[in-house]
Amino acid sequence: MQPGNERPQPPPMPGGYPPPPQQQYYQPPPPPSGKVPTWLWILLGVGCGGGVLFIAVMAAILFPVFSQARTKARQTSCMSNLKQLSLGTLMYVQDYDEMMPPATQWVTQTTPYVKNDRTYRCPLVAVANPRGYGYAFNSNLSKFALAKINQPYATGMLFESANTEINASDPLSSVVTPYRHDGFDIFAYVDGHVKSIREGEPIPQATP
């Protein structure tokens, strides 16, 4: 290196040597004490209480909904039952010279066409009385000729009855009141159609 181009040197440290680098030691976290903090107990208590309150509120909201859905399902099942019974009865009529079955034996006579005893039982009646039936036949149609019925579309043939015995029959005098399915009763007409009628509305006629 040429004279005059020397690099400036740092001033010497006291003692002639730089200080040694400081060593950093890892400090492990203190071991858990094993006690649940007070704030956590408070949070859990509020959370549990809130959960119970939430469940209670949801139950209060959903219970009527589930109850209504169950009632509607039973009403639909009842309509299906009476539809099958009306078709079974009309099949009997076709096989017996277009004569209606005897009112006192209408279940017995139509069973070969329906082939399911549960169809003769209203689902709501079965809840309270597994042996109950709940449907009745219009006794005014007993052994009546189909051709002589003036208004089959307006004449009741099968209906929901307060008489839960097998082969129940009367001239629509035992219609369930108050109506069985949340303000509705189901009626089957001579022409085979089924209708859900609200309480207070006109029911089918009983005379052929």
Side-chain angles (χ1 to χ4, degrees):
M1 182 177 296
Q2 298 179 0
N5 292 334
E6 295 86 351
R7 293 182 181 179
Q9 299 295 324
M13 299 296 295
Y17 298 97
Q22 295 182 355
Q23 296 184 2
Q24 296 182 354
Y25 297 95
Y26 172 73
Q27 297 292 335
S33 63
K35 296 182 179 180
V36 179
T38 304
W39 62 268
L40 184 57
W41 283 117
I42 296 175
L43 182 61
L44 290 174
V46 173
C48 291
V52 172
L53 179 61
F54 175 77
I55 294 173
V57 171
M58 291 303 295
I61 295 174
L62 295 178
F63 182 78
V65 176
F66 292 149
S67 179
Q68 185 177 7
R70 183 170 57 250
T71 300
K72 190 65 178 179
R74 288 171 177 165
Q75 180 181 353
T76 302
S77 178
C78 191
M79 291 189 69
S80 176
N81 285 352
L82 282 172
K83 181 64 177 179
Q84 294 180 62
L85 294 180
S86 65
L87 293 178
T89 302
L90 292 177
M91 291 172 65
Y92 168 92
V93 170
Q94 294 300 320
D95 286 347
Y96 286 85
D97 299 326
E98 295 194 345
M99 298 290 291
M100 287 288 178
T104 57
Q105 296 180 346
W106 72 273
V107 172
T108 307
Q109 296 297 320
T110 59
T111 294
Y113 302 91
V114 178
K115 299 180 180 179
N116 189 345
D117 182 69
R118 292 183 59 183
T119 307
Y120 291 93
R121 302 175 187 271
C122 173
L124 200 57
V125 171
V127 172
N129 180 12
R131 296 184 178 181
Y133 286 84
Y135 300 134
F137 184 80
N138 181 1
S139 58
N140 288 343
L141 299 177
S142 182
K143 298 182 180 180
F144 205 87
L146 182 63
K148 293 183 179 181
I149 301 176
N150 296 323
Q151 295 180 316
Y153 58 87
T155 305
M157 180 171 62
L158 299 165
F159 59 97
E160 297 202 68
S161 172
N163 184 352
T164 59
E165 298 295 326
I166 189 173
N167 290 316
S169 64
D170 57 71
L172 277 73
S173 58
S174 65
V175 172
V176 180
T177 52
Y179 281 10
R180 184 173 282 159
H181 297 283
D182 197 20
F184 288 88
D185 265 358
I186 318 298
F187 296 85
Y189 295 74
V190 172
D191 67 348
H193 85 277
V194 176
K195 186 176 181 180
S196 178
I197 296 180
R198 184 187 298 273
E199 189 167 3
E201 295 179 350
I203 66 173
Q205 64 188 31
T207 56

